[in-house]
Amino acid sequence: MIYGGCNCGNGHLTILPTGDVYACRRMQDSRVGNVFADRLADLWTGRLEAYRDYDKFAKCSKCKLKAWCRGCPAVAASCSGGDFYAADPEYWAESVEGLLAD
């Protein structure tokens, strides 16, 4: 069952003991601020917005399952030289085309 998809910067964030705030615990370069220097509300409505632009995702933006899946941007970034919006190499929807038919 597909349930909610990636929630990076959308349904969760990571705060380290140092106060550093990350959009995704799997992506070292997703640091968006520090709770000792920035208000969480400002980070949530500001810098984290970039992680919610699902229409920029290479394959996910065109997929009918975008609202439920969205792949894993951390995996995509690690396999593409750091491009958060690259295609997830573990993309599986093409193998179940019947689910995607109109």
Side-chain angles (χ1 to χ4, degrees):
M1 177 178 199
I2 302 169
Y3 189 77
C6 174
N7 279 308
C8 173
N10 185 32
H12 68 79
L13 51 78
T14 300
I15 302 174
L16 299 182
T18 61
D20 286 342
V21 179
Y22 288 81
C24 176
R25 65 182 171 80
R26 295 179 175 178
M27 293 180 53
Q28 290 183 345
D29 63 346
S30 71
R31 184 183 179 280
V32 294
N34 185 288
V35 293
F36 301 121
D38 306 294
R39 291 183 59 232
L40 264 182
D42 293 339
L43 295 176
W44 191 260
T45 58
R47 295 180 196 161
L48 283 165
E49 285 293 326
Y51 294 92
R52 298 181 197 125
D53 194 352
Y54 305 124
D55 289 332
K56 287 185 177 180
F57 290 175
K59 283 192 177 182
C60 299
S61 64
K62 300 169 191 79
C63 183
K64 292 181 180 183
L65 298 175
K66 175 175 68 174
W68 298 277
C69 178
R70 297 186 299 278
C72 180
V75 171
S78 69
C79 295
S80 68
D83 182 2
F84 179 78
Y85 297 108
D88 182 343
E90 296 175 349
Y91 180 72
W92 55 270
E94 289 170 340
S95 63
V96 289
E97 283 188 7
L99 291 174
L100 303 177
D102 287 30

